[in-house]
Amino acid sequence: MRAFIGIGLPPECRRAIAEAVFPLRAKRPAVSWTSEPNLHVTLKFLGQIPPERVDEIGSLLAETARGFGPFEFSVEGPGGFPALRAPRVLWIGIREPLELVGKLHENMENALSGAGFPREERRFHPHITVGRVRDRLPPGWWEEYAKALSGKSFGVVGVSSFQLYESRLSPGGAAYCVLRDVPLLREPANPGREEKGK
Ligand code: 2AM
């Protein structure tokens, strides 16, 4: 099965993104737009995994989540990979000053590389992919894209867990299904000592 780890977004945030993106479709640029239910932040793409490894990966992910309590990020700002002026991937950014998403990702890379999943070579830049460019865009179209999404907030997202997803590909597009929901629970570093100190 094809799998990845990500942070799902609440319906109101996905709705706000879909509403902002919808008018951009009018000029019919050659872009595959992400469907509203599929909007998410990817933490790590795993690719093909044997279904019998889901439990093991779930346990590793629970380990990587240790020490992280729930946190928030705001969803704002248009971007593009490799560049906004010549994008192949269109995305919306997240803002979170403590960079906890990056730290979670780093923990995940460390734990999963030990289990045989290769590290991502590219620098991690958390984002929400809204579209993938399939062919040449109309000249200057990127400016319209940037203008339509700049200066808008798509909400503040409270993150209390992240998810291991299966991605089922079909001609109609990908369908994501949650295999494991991994809670962020801040545990005391040394619960025994804390008790004694009381
Ligand atoms: P992205 O959209 O954040 O770039 C589920 O398929 C997610 O895994 C996608 O949204 C994509 O993340 C990421 N993904 C898919 N194929 C990938 C690949 N070959 N390498 C790295 N990430 C990939």
Side-chain angles (χ1 to χ4, degrees):
M1 64 170 67
R2 194 170 191 264
F4 72 98
I5 303 150
I7 301 174
L9 300 172
E12 54 281 9
C13 174
R14 288 186 274 114
R15 188 88 279 258
I17 294 173
E19 276 174 6
V21 166
F22 193 75
L24 294 164
R25 298 173 177 222
K27 280 197 179 170
R28 300 189 182 278
V31 174
S32 294
W33 298 99
T34 308
S35 69
E36 189 176 326
N38 282 3
L39 291 163
H40 67 276
V41 178
T42 302
L43 291 170
K44 168 93 182 145
F45 179 69
L46 296 177
Q48 291 295 332
I49 61 161
E52 56 274 18
R53 290 196 74 185
V54 168
D55 280 342
E56 174 203 349
I57 295 167
S59 306
L60 280 172
L61 293 179
E63 278 298 308
T64 67
R66 282 173 74 124
F68 285 85
F71 63 92
E72 288 183 344
F73 58 69
S74 70
V75 176
E76 57 192 71
F81 292 140
L84 184 55
R85 282 162 181 266
R88 301 301 307 167
V89 172
L90 298 162
W91 49 261
I92 292 177
I94 68 171
R95 185 195 289 266
E96 47 117 14
L98 297 179
E99 297 182 353
L100 291 171
V101 174
K103 287 172 186 144
L104 202 49
H105 166 81
E106 188 53 38
N107 269 9
M108 218 164 266
E109 287 286 15
N110 290 339
L112 291 167
S113 62
F117 293 95
R119 282 176 187 275
E120 172 65 62
E121 299 286 324
R122 294 171 295 191
R123 188 173 164 273
F124 180 63
H125 187 294
H127 62 277
I128 298 157
T129 295
V130 295
R132 293 186 170 79
V133 178
R134 295 295 176 213
D135 204 352
R136 203 185 300 242
L137 290 170
W141 183 85
W142 72 271
E143 283 173 293
E144 253 176 77
Y145 167 75
K147 206 164 131 199
L149 301 185
S150 290
K152 286 199 174 127
S153 169
F154 301 99
V156 173
V157 174
V159 184
S160 55
S161 66
F162 62 88
Q163 294 78 36
L164 171 64
Y165 289 95
E166 178 182 4
S167 164
R168 290 189 193 152
L169 300 179
S170 76
Y176 300 152
C177 150
V178 175
L179 297 169
R180 292 287 182 276
D181 185 67
V182 184
L184 297 174
L185 303 168
R186 193 189 305 284
E187 296 165 42
N190 189 336
R193 183 169 296 174
E194 200 163 273
E195 280 302 310
K196 273 185 218 154
K198 274 186 185 168

